[in-house]
Amino acid sequence: MLYLWIKAFHIVAVVTWFAALFYLPRLFVYHAMADGTADIERFKIMERKLYRGIMNPSAIATVALGAWLLYLVPGFLEQGWLHAKLTVVALLIAYHLYCGRLLKAFAEDRNRRSHVWYRVFNELPVLALVAAVVLAVIKPF
Ligand code: HEM
């Protein structure tokens, strides 16, 4: 029973993490296109609040609750799907941290990338989401 409660909140944390992983790069798209000072300053605040208030806490909760599930069922550690999923998670964490670097560049008015670059960058978490969910639910190997 405890296990299922933890799994339910693991999934809630995953959903909120991905809401931020999709929305922050979308804000970068609009920020890269903005030219008015008021708009630019508003994007900086939205990005910072999203990153610190939603994205970081959700990532920590996802990993902590996932680790708790593994503590309760250590047998998963010997299964291939979990190794593959942890690889996907490592890539997601790298993406997350890279978003933090981009955010800092925007905050200091140092962004040189185009909105098209951010549109492509914005699509990458979709691949990770599909891969991680298929691995966790289907457990193909
Ligand atoms: C370090 C990070 C993570 C760890 C250690 C972890 C670990 C786990 C474990 C042990 C389970 C239980 C599997 C079961 O009961 O059959 C689980 C379930 C699940 N995880 Fe994760 N996970 C992590 C991150 C993620 C991420 C990033 C996603 C999505 C992108 C995700 C999506 C899911 C889903 C959808 C389930 C439910 C599977 C089911 O019950 O059918 N997890 N996770």
Side-chain angles (χ1 to χ4, degrees), residues 29-69:
V29 169
Y30 299 133
H31 194 156
M33 290 164 64
D35 41 24
T37 314
D39 284 349
I40 288 173
E41 293 309 310
R42 195 173 303 122
F43 281 124
K44 288 181 188 176
I45 295 168
M46 291 169 78
E47 288 157 2
R48 194 184 65 234
K49 290 198 167 178
L50 181 63
Y51 191 72
R52 295 202 190 150
I54 310 272
M55 205 153 128
N56 282 341
S58 315
I60 291 165
T62 299
V63 173
L65 293 167
W68 196 351
L69 292 171

Side-chain angles (χ1 to χ4, degrees), residues 3 7 10-11 14 17-18 62-63 66-67 69-70 76 81-82 85-86 89 92 129 132-133 136-137 139:
Y3 184 81
K7 187 150 79 173
H10 175 61
I11 294 169
V14 164
W17 189 15
F18 271 87
T62 299
V63 173
L69 292 171
L70 290 179
F76 283 141
W81 68 271
L82 185 79
K85 187 173 140 176
L86 292 181
V89 172
L92 267 176
L129 178 61
V133 172
V137 175
K139 300 185 176 57

Side-chain angles (χ1 to χ4, degrees), residues 61-113:
T62 299
V63 173
L65 293 167
W68 196 351
L69 292 171
L70 290 179
Y71 172 74
L72 294 175
V73 184
F76 283 141
L77 285 166
E78 282 148 36
Q79 298 178 8
W81 68 271
L82 185 79
H83 301 161
K85 187 173 140 176
L86 292 181
T87 307
V88 173
V89 172
L91 293 172
L92 267 176
I93 292 171
Y95 183 92
H96 180 128
L97 295 174
Y98 189 58
C99 281
R101 283 184 55 178
L102 294 170
L103 182 145
K104 192 159 185 283
F106 270 117
E108 294 167 359
D109 300 309
R110 286 190 286 103
N111 173 57
R112 296 286 171 269
R113 300 186 198 280

